[in-house]
Amino acid sequence: MNKKSFIFIVLGIAFLVFSILPISNYITDPSRILHHDYKMRYLKFHPHKLFLKVEYLLDNKEKYDTLVYGSSRGGFIDVSRISKGAYNMSHGFGTVTTYLHSLKVLLENGVKVENVWIGINDFDIWKDHTDNLHRLINKNSIIGNAPMYSYWLFRLIPESIKILTEKRELIETQEVTYPMERIPRARKQEHIVKKQSKRQIPAATLGYTGKFRVKEAVEEVAQIKKLCEAYHINLTVFMYPIYYKTYLSYDQEKIEKFKRELVKVTGFYDFYDLGDISLDQKNWFEGSHFIPSIGDYMIKSIQDNKYFVTTKNIDKRIEETRLLVKNMPFLEDGGIYTLDKHTDAKLENKKIIFDIKDQKFTFIKNEDFNLKYKRSYVEAVVTRNDPLIILNKTKSSTKQSLLSLSIASTQETFFQLYYKESESAQYSEASRYNILLTKGINHMNIIIPSRYINQGLRVDIARKLGVYKIEQLRLYEID
Amino acid sequence: MLFNSYTFIFFFLPVTFVIYFYLNKKRLTEASKAFLVLSSLFFYSWWNIVYLPLILISILFNYSLGREFSKHSQKKRNYSPKVLLSIGIVFNLALLGYFKYADFFIENFNFISTSEVSLLHLALPLAISFYTFQQIAYLVDSYRGETHEYDFLNYTVFVTFFPQLIAGPIVHHSEMMPQFAQLKNKVLQYHNIAAGIFIFVIGLFKKVVIADSFAIWATQGFDFERSLTMLEGWMTSFSYTFQLYFDFSGYTDMAIGAALLFNIRLPINFDSPYKATDIQDFWRRWHITLSRFLKEYIYIPLGGNRKSEIQTYSNLFITFLLGGIWHGAGWTFVVWGALHGLALVIHRAWKKLGLHMPTLLAWFITFNFINIAWVFFRATSFDSAIKVLHAMFSMDGDLFSKSKQFPHMLHYTHPLSEYVSINMVNYMFILLLIGFVLSLYAKNAHILRDRFMQMKQIPFFWAIAIGILFGISLIVIASNPSSEFLYFNF
C-alpha cells in the first residue's frame, strides 16, 4: 500500500472504531435525552428529568396552568394541593439558573402557563450551573443544540456500558408524565421516619465551598420575574426549609445578604430558618430532604400568606432568624459536626478547657512544625507533612465540647481531627473528621462529643507545608 | 489546548493544516507563515490569554537584541556585545525567575530570616521554561555570530510553532529556520503526512492509554504516602517512572508527528532511556534536547572537561543541579538534580579508574537509581519523598501485605472500576510488566518512524493496527478529557 492509501485507511479505521462510542451512547441513551423519551427509563439509572420535563411540556403546551420549579427537595411537594393543573418541575440540584433557562425555552416555544412557583435553595448561591447549560436543550437553534448532542454522544458513559453488558431493559415510567406518582410512596416512608426518633443525621453540605454567587443568583431571579411579567404569569417565590445541622454549617451572613437582595427584586415566602421544621429530626429523610407533610405545610402557609417577606419586614425577619440561632442549644447526636462562625456569640461565659494561645495549657507536639507565639495569634510553620498536636491533658466534664477555630491559610488544605473511642485504641483514618481550609481566613466552630476529648484528641493542623496563622484554636465545655 | 483533546484533533489541527497548505498552494507563503504564527498563538492562548502578552514581549525583546548583534557584526553599532548579551540573559532569566522562582525564594528567605514577606502566588505562564531556554540559545548564538539574518516572521514561527511550543523538544534555530524557508516544505507531502499520523497516533496511545493508566496508581500512592506498604511503595515509584516516560515521550511523539504534517522535522527527544546502562547513557537518551542545551550553554561555558578533573566534576554537578532547578522551584528538584549530578561525577570517576561492570548489573543499578531519584522529582515535598522511600525500603511492614485500604481506594478512582470489577494489585502487576516490556524491548517511536519513512510500500497490517490504536485512543480520551501532560508544569 502506498502512503496516500495508508493515510485514508488509518483515518477510516480510526473513524469506524471511534464511532462505536457515539453509536453505543445513542442506542443505550441512559439519560433518555437523545431519544427525547420521557415515557421509558432503565432501572437504577436516572433519566435527565429537567430535559425530559421540558420535552414533555413542549409536547403538551396547554395541559398545565402552574409550574412548580424546585430542586430534588421540591420532589416531595404535592403540587396538586396548589392547583389541579399544577406540574412539578423539580429536578436534581435545580437552581434558579436552570429554572430561568428552561422557563425561557418553554415560554419562547409557546407553552401556556398562568402561574410559576420557584423554590429557592441555599445552594443556589454557591452552585454554579452556568457552565453546564450546554447540556440542556436549546430549541431555538440548531447550532445551540450541537454542544448538547456532542456532550451526550462523545463521552464514555459508565451507564451505557452497564446497559450493554448487563442487558438492562427499558421499563415504563411516569416520573415525567405524572411526577406526583412518588408522593404516596414518600408518605409511606414518612411514617417509617417518624418512628426513628434517635437517628444520627449528618449535615448535607452539598458541595459547599464558601465561594458565593449572590449577585448572579438574584439577577437570575430578576430575569425570571421579568419573563413572567412579559408573559403575564403570576410568580410565587419561596425558600425551602433546611435541616438545622446543614443550616448551622453555612455562612449565614451570605444567606442573609442573599435574602436582603432578593427581597428588593421580589417578595418571597421564607421557610429557611432554625424553626421547628428545621430542628425536628422527624421532618427529615436526611440532611437535605424534608418529608411530604412539610411540603403540605408550606403550600398551606403560602396560600394563607404566612412567612411572606417584603422590603418592609426583611429586617425583622433577619432579626428573628438570628434570635433563633442565638437561642438554640447545642444539640447532641453523638457525632462531630461543624457550625459556622455565626455561633460565636453563644460562647460567652463558657468554660475554656484549652487554648493554643495560652501556654498554661500543655499538649504533645511532633517535630513536623514549629509554633511561634505572636501577640494576637500563633504561627504554625509547617516544615513536614504531619504537623500534629495531641491534647493529652485536656479533659471535659460536659457531654459535648466545642472547638472554636480560626486559621488563615495561603492554600487549600485539610485541617483534621483524629479521635478515639477508647484509650487503648489507635488513631486511624477511619476515625477522622476532615475540615477543608480554603485560602484566606477559615473561621468555624466544631461540636465534639467530650468522650473524644477525654481520650486525647489529635489535631492535624494542615496537610501541606507552609505558614498558617492560628488566630483561634480553643476548646469550650458546652451544655 | 491539549494534543489529546477532541478540540485539537478534530478542529485545530485539521483546520490549521488545510488553511496553511491552501495559502501555500496559492503561493501566499508569507501569509501562510503569518497564519501559522497566529494559529500557534491561538493554540497557546487557549489555556489563558493572560500569558499571551508575556510571550510576545519575550519574542520582541529577544529578536530585537539578536538583530543588534548582527548589526554589531556589521560594525554599525558601538555597544559592547558582551553587555548586550548580559542584558539579554538577565532579562530572560529575570522573567523566568520572577514567575517561576519568586515564591520559592521568598519562602526560604522567610524561613531563614523568620520574616513575613508575603508570597506572590504567581501562576506559572505556560511554556515559559521552554521558550526562555530556546531564546537564550538564540541570543548566545547571535552573539557568537552563528545566526543568520532572520526576519521577524521567521523568528516568531521558530519560537511559537505550536507542536513544540508548550513542552519542547527544545529546538535550535539552526535546525528549524532553514526548514521553514525551504520551498519544498510548503507543498503537501504524503509521505510526511503518513509518517506524521503514524507517530502522532503512537504518541497519543502512549499518553492516553499507557501513561494515564500508570497515573492512577502513581497519584494515589504519592497522595497517601503515609500508609504505603513496601510493595505499594515500589509499585508507586515504578508507576511514576513509567507514567513520566510514556507521558513525556508520548507528548514528544505527538509534537514530532504534528510537525511532520507541516513538513517540519523536530529533533528526537527520547531514545529508549530506560535501556541505559549508565547515567551518562541515560542523559543521552532522556530529554535529549534539554541535555543538549545544558551541555552547550552551561557545561561547556563553565569549562566542560577542558580544565582539571576536579573542575570537570564540579562543572558536571553544577550543570545538573541547574537542570534540576529548571524543572521546578522546590527543594525536591534541587535534590533530584544534585543526585543526578553526583551520579554523573561517580560515573566519570569510575570510568577514569577503568573499572567494568556486567551489563545486566549496570542496567539494574542505573534503572533503580533513576527510579529512586524520580521519587524526589514527583513528591510534593521532601518529607513526602522520604515517606515513599521509607515504604520502599522499610522492613518493618509486610512485603506482600494484603493492605486492603489502598487497593480499595484505588479501585474507586480507576475509571475502569465503573464498568468492570478489577483486582487493582493484579492489574498493576500486569501494567508494570507491560511498562517494562515496552520500554526495554519494544522499538522506540523514532526508530519506527525512520523505518516507516524508508518504506515505499506499507504493510496493510500497519494501517489496520495504527487505525485501531487511533480509534481506541479517541475513545479513551472521552473518559478523561482533561488529562494534562506532566511536563506542562515545568
Side-chain angles (χ1 to χ4, degrees):
Chain A
M1 169 197 332
N2 64 27
K3 293 193 175 165
K4 199 170 175 179
S5 309
F6 173 86
I7 296 166
F8 290 111
I9 289 174
V10 166
L11 297 181
I13 289 171
F15 177 77
L16 284 178
V17 173
F18 179 56
S19 60
I20 293 169
L21 179 72
I23 289 171
S24 64
N25 280 343
Y26 183 77
I27 291 169
T28 53
D29 190 18
S31 64
R32 309 310 296 153
I33 281 184
L34 300 168
H35 287 79
H36 297 239
D37 175 13
Y38 45 76
K39 290 183 179 165
M40 309 288 273
R41 63 167 289 183
Y42 291 101
L43 265 181
K44 295 185 188 172
F45 298 145
H46 289 291
H48 197 296
K49 277 195 198 152
L50 175 59
F51 182 92
L52 296 174
K53 283 181 174 179
V54 169
E55 286 292 293
Y56 171 67
L57 290 173
L58 289 170
D59 289 347
N60 296 276
K61 290 182 178 167
E62 296 189 6
K63 193 169 180 181
Y64 300 100
D65 58 22
T66 304
L67 298 182
V68 184
Y69 272 100
S71 65
S72 58
R73 291 168 186 170
F76 296 98
I77 293 180
D78 182 354
V79 299
S80 66
R81 290 175 182 240
I82 298 172
S83 146
K84 290 291 168 217
Y87 181 74
N88 193 329
M89 273 297 287
S90 64
H91 49 279
F93 273 123
T95 64
V96 283
T97 314
T98 57
Y99 307 165
L100 171 64
H101 184 78
S102 57
L103 186 62
K104 237 186 218 173
V105 171
L106 292 173
L107 298 178
E108 285 170 4
N109 286 282
V111 174
K112 303 276 182 256
V113 192
E114 288 170 20
N115 309 296
V116 166
W117 287 39
I118 63 168
I120 297 179
N121 294 283
D122 38 24
F123 59 72
D124 282 42
I125 67 165
W126 66 79
K127 266 219 176 306
D128 189 355
H129 285 316
T130 43
D131 287 346
N132 300 329
L133 288 176
H134 66 277
R135 301 175 189 178
L136 304 175
I137 193 163
N138 183 345
K139 279 279 172 186
N140 294 329
S141 141
I142 295 167
I143 295 169
N145 281 338
M148 188 268 291
Y149 282 110
S150 71
Y151 178 81
W152 294 104
L153 286 170
F154 298 104
R155 268 193 323 140
L156 212 53
I157 303 173
E159 287 84 352
S160 289
I161 313 277
K162 279 187 183 155
I163 287 166
L164 289 171
T165 54
E166 297 172 13
K167 292 182 185 164
R168 299 208 179 181
E169 286 180 8
L170 285 165
I171 52 165
E172 281 189 17
T173 178
Q174 284 188 297
E175 57 195 312
V176 172
T177 54
Y178 182 60
M180 299 302 301
E181 60 147 9
R182 71 183 303 188
I183 296 292
R185 270 184 289 130
R187 290 199 193 278
K188 275 184 194 166
Q189 283 173 346
E190 176 176 332
H191 290 301
I192 301 165
V193 165
K194 284 192 168 175
K195 285 176 193 162
Q196 300 167 340
S197 56
K198 286 195 175 174
R199 287 180 304 151
Q200 205 183 80
I201 306 178
T205 46
L206 305 173
Y208 181 68
T209 57
K211 288 171 191 157
F212 301 95
R213 55 187 303 276
V214 173
K215 200 176 144 201
E216 290 85 347
V218 172
E219 174 54 31
E220 282 159 353
V221 177
Q223 284 188 49
I224 291 174
K225 192 184 174 199
K226 215 169 151 189
L227 203 59
C228 288
E229 283 168 357
Y231 285 88
H232 308 293
I233 294 167
N234 302 314
L235 176 67
T236 303
V237 181
F238 61 95
M239 268 191 91
Y240 289 111
I242 188 82
Y243 178 57
Y244 78 93
K245 271 197 212 170
T246 310
Y247 182 99
L248 289 169
S249 64
Y250 296 149
D251 182 349
Q252 288 301 325
E253 277 177 23
K254 288 289 185 301
I255 309 269
E256 284 175 7
K257 188 180 168 197
F258 173 69
K259 285 182 181 178
R260 284 186 193 282
E261 293 300 317
L262 179 64
V263 85
K264 289 178 195 166
V265 172
T266 175
F268 68 99
Y269 296 90
D270 187 12
F271 299 96
Y272 189 90
D273 62 21
L274 268 187
D276 295 339
I277 298 175
S278 176
L279 292 170
D280 191 346
Q281 305 227 75
K282 289 176 189 165
N283 293 331
W284 299 92
F285 286 123
E286 16 65 31
S288 176
H289 297 99
F290 48 77
I291 55 176
S293 39
I294 299 301
D296 299 344
Y297 174 77
M298 287 163 63
I299 292 171
K300 181 81 174 55
S301 302
I302 292 171
Q303 285 165 342
D304 294 346
N305 213 27
K306 286 183 187 169
Y307 300 102
F308 194 59
V309 182
T310 63
T311 45
K312 286 178 184 161
N313 64 354
I314 184 71
D315 291 332
K316 191 172 163 241
R317 174 66 184 151
I318 300 266
E319 271 313 304
E320 278 171 12
T321 54
R322 285 184 185 172
L323 205 63
L324 287 168
V325 175
K326 196 177 169 192
N327 293 337
M328 202 205 84
F330 292 112
L331 296 177
E332 182 198 349
D333 79 344
I336 300 179
Y337 64 95
T338 305
L339 312 173
D340 194 68
K341 61 186 177 216
H342 55 78
T343 45
D344 280 357
K346 294 153 70 84
L347 298 173
E348 280 173 24
N349 305 323
K350 301 287 179 198
K351 186 182 168 191
I352 297 167
I353 52 172
F354 175 79
D355 188 344
I356 201 163
K357 289 192 281 190
D358 187 341
Q359 295 188 49
K360 80 174 181 202
F361 296 106
T362 57
F363 52 87
I364 296 171
K365 173 190 157 303
N366 71 357
E367 296 298 312
D368 287 11
F369 72 122
N370 293 315
L371 286 176
K372 294 179 185 174
Y373 291 86
K374 309 277 177 171
R375 185 174 295 174
S376 60
Y377 62 93
V378 177
E379 192 175 80
V381 182
V382 179
T383 50
R384 290 190 203 160
N385 268 5
D386 299 318
L388 63 90
I389 58 174
I390 296 173
L391 310 185
N392 59 328
K393 300 285 182 198
T394 307
K395 301 289 172 201
S396 175
S397 58
T398 53
K399 270 194 165 181
Q400 295 195 108
S401 303
L402 184 143
L403 176 66
S404 182
L405 182 70
S406 178
I407 294 187
S409 172
T410 55
Q411 55 195 332
E412 204 167 275
T413 182
F414 282 104
F415 174 91
Q416 297 171 313
L417 299 174
Y418 285 80
Y419 51 90
K420 298 194 293 185
E421 291 287 352
S422 69
E423 209 164 325
S424 56
Q426 297 287 315
Y427 295 108
S428 77
E429 304 293 314
S431 307
R432 183 184 66 190
Y433 187 78
N434 277 349
I435 291 153
L436 179 71
L437 296 184
T438 53
K439 261 189 197 176
I441 296 170
N442 299 268
H443 185 164
M444 65 200 76
N445 296 317
I446 303 148
I447 300 277
I448 306 168
S450 294
R451 64 180 190 280
Y452 296 153
I453 305 291
N454 297 334
Q455 304 297 350
L457 187 72
R458 181 179 132 184
V459 179
D460 286 27
I461 306 292
R463 287 274 294 150
K464 288 182 185 166
L465 311 194
V467 179
Y468 300 87
K469 208 163 136 185
I470 305 175
E471 286 163 356
Q472 186 134 296
L473 201 164
R474 184 186 279 173
L475 265 168
Y476 294 89
E477 280 183 345
I478 54 168
D479 305 320
Chain B
M1 201 180 298
L2 297 167
F3 285 169
N4 55 326
S5 66
Y6 291 153
T7 323
F8 180 81
I9 295 168
F10 292 133
F11 298 101
F12 180 83
L13 189 58
V15 168
T16 309
F17 174 83
V18 167
I19 296 177
Y20 176 75
F21 283 107
Y22 174 78
L23 291 172
N24 275 320
K25 198 177 174 187
K26 296 283 171 193
R27 298 186 186 280
L28 300 166
T29 50
E30 289 304 296
S32 74
K33 226 181 276 175
F35 171 74
L36 203 55
V37 170
L38 288 176
S39 306
S40 298
L41 293 175
F42 173 78
F43 170 85
Y44 181 77
S45 309
W46 186 262
W47 273 282
N48 197 342
I49 199 159
V50 171
Y51 303 141
L52 185 61
L54 196 70
I55 192 173
L56 291 176
I57 289 167
S58 172
I59 290 170
L60 207 61
F61 176 84
N62 285 297
Y63 175 72
S64 309
L65 213 60
R67 293 278 295 174
E68 283 303 314
F69 284 124
S70 81
K71 278 180 191 169
H72 194 90
S73 64
Q74 293 161 24
K75 296 184 180 169
K76 289 180 186 167
R77 292 269 178 176
N78 290 320
Y79 301 127
S80 154
K82 255 193 182 165
V83 172
L84 278 184
L85 180 66
S86 306
I87 291 171
I89 291 175
V90 166
F91 170 82
N92 281 293
L93 293 181
L95 206 64
L96 187 62
Y98 178 69
F99 284 100
K100 194 164 180 175
Y101 302 103
D103 278 353
F104 178 62
F105 284 119
I106 294 172
E107 270 177 12
N108 286 289
F109 174 76
N110 284 348
F111 186 73
I112 294 164
S113 64
T114 65
S115 48
E116 293 172 31
V117 180
S118 303
L119 299 180
L120 302 175
H121 297 296
L122 297 167
L124 181 68
L126 200 65
I128 190 168
S129 306
F130 288 90
Y131 68 68
T132 302
F133 265 31
Q134 226 159 286
Q135 295 188 99
I136 286 176
Y138 169 76
L139 283 185
V140 173
D141 291 350
S142 298
Y143 165 77
R144 291 172 181 163
E146 292 169 6
T147 56
H148 303 282
E149 280 270 346
Y150 301 127
D151 70 21
F152 183 64
L153 202 53
N154 274 333
Y155 180 78
T156 315
V157 176
F158 151 67
V159 179
T160 62
F161 184 46
F162 70 88
Q164 53 81 37
L165 172 61
I166 308 297
I170 302 171
V171 291
H172 197 266
H173 56 90
S174 63
E175 65 198 354
M176 295 297 289
M177 304 286 226
Q179 292 194 69
F180 286 116
Q182 277 175 15
L183 278 178
K184 69 167 187 177
N185 285 347
K186 299 184 188 305
V187 184
L188 267 183
Q189 293 186 26
Y190 284 106
H191 69 278
N192 278 344
I193 297 169
I197 291 173
F198 176 79
I199 195 114
F200 184 89
V201 170
I202 290 177
L204 183 66
F205 188 81
K206 275 161 105 173
K207 162 64 185 163
V208 302
V209 179
I210 305 176
D212 287 353
S213 298
F214 283 115
I216 295 158
W217 189 291
T219 306
Q220 293 295 328
F222 278 95
D223 281 354
F224 292 85
E225 74 281 20
R226 280 189 286 188
S227 51
L228 296 176
T229 63
M230 183 193 252
L231 180 71
E232 289 161 357
W234 281 98
M235 284 173 109
T236 299
S237 70
F238 283 144
S239 295
Y240 183 67
T241 293
F242 289 121
Q243 182 203 352
L244 186 62
Y245 170 59
F246 287 109
D247 187 285
F248 193 20
S249 70
Y251 174 86
T252 309
D253 292 343
M254 278 188 262
I256 289 171
L260 258 182
L261 298 179
F262 295 84
N263 299 321
I264 300 295
R265 286 188 79 140
L266 295 181
I268 63 162
N269 221 11
F270 292 89
D271 184 15
S272 305
Y274 293 151
K275 289 178 187 169
T277 51
D278 62 57
I279 195 68
Q280 192 181 28
D281 186 22
F282 172 75
W283 280 104
R284 284 191 191 120
R285 294 162 174 269
W286 178 273
H287 206 173
I288 296 166
T289 55
L290 175 69
S291 307
R292 181 178 68 178
F293 181 91
L294 292 175
K295 185 181 159 197
E296 287 179 19
Y297 298 98
I298 299 179
Y299 179 66
I300 292 175
L302 280 173
N305 58 1
R306 298 187 304 275
K307 296 180 181 169
S308 70
E309 198 56 23
I310 296 293
Q311 186 70 45
T312 304
Y313 292 153
S314 159
N315 293 342
L316 264 177
F317 186 79
I318 290 169
T319 303
F320 278 85
L321 195 67
L322 291 175
I325 295 168
W326 175 83
H327 280 89
W331 285 107
T332 48
F333 291 107
V334 176
V335 172
W336 175 78
L339 282 174
H340 275 271
L342 202 63
L344 279 152
V345 169
I346 293 169
H347 169 256
R348 190 177 169 86
W350 178 274
K351 263 187 17 184
K352 277 266 162 200
L353 292 170
L355 300 170
H356 290 283
M357 193 184 281
T359 309
L360 194 63
L361 181 65
W363 170 82
F364 182 81
I365 292 172
T366 308
F367 181 79
N368 278 291
F369 168 77
I370 292 160
N371 179 50
I372 289 164
W374 283 142
V375 172
F376 287 97
F377 192 84
R378 167 61 178 80
T380 49
S381 68
F382 189 76
D383 192 53
S384 169
I386 296 297
K387 284 202 171 101
V388 175
L389 291 172
H390 181 262
M392 289 163 72
F393 293 100
S394 162
M395 298 307 287
D396 52 9
D398 303 325
L399 173 60
F400 294 103
S401 153
K402 299 275 182 204
S403 153
K404 289 193 180 87
Q405 190 187 352
F406 191 62
H408 179 75
M409 180 188 60
L410 270 170
H411 181 82
Y412 286 100
T413 54
H414 196 291
L416 275 180
S417 67
E418 293 198 62
Y419 316 114
V420 284
S421 177
I422 40 177
N423 178 321
M424 277 308 293
V425 176
N426 293 346
Y427 170 79
M428 278 313 298
F429 269 124
I430 295 167
L431 206 60
L432 286 174
L433 194 67
I434 293 171
F436 273 107
V437 169
L438 285 179
S439 53
L440 296 178
Y441 296 103
K443 286 194 171 57
N444 64 44
H446 82 88
I447 293 176
L448 288 172
R449 177 194 63 179
D450 291 346
R451 200 171 142 194
F452 182 90
M453 291 188 89
Q454 283 160 8
M455 286 179 185
K456 288 217 168 96
Q457 291 295 312
I458 312 293
F460 188 66
F461 166 76
W462 281 45
I464 302 279
I466 292 293
I468 291 172
L469 290 188
F470 197 7
I472 291 172
S473 304
L474 290 172
I475 290 176
V476 175
I477 290 172
S479 71
N480 191 10
S482 56
S483 164
E484 282 193 7
F485 293 91
L486 295 177
Y487 257 71
F488 282 18
N489 301 320
F490 305 129

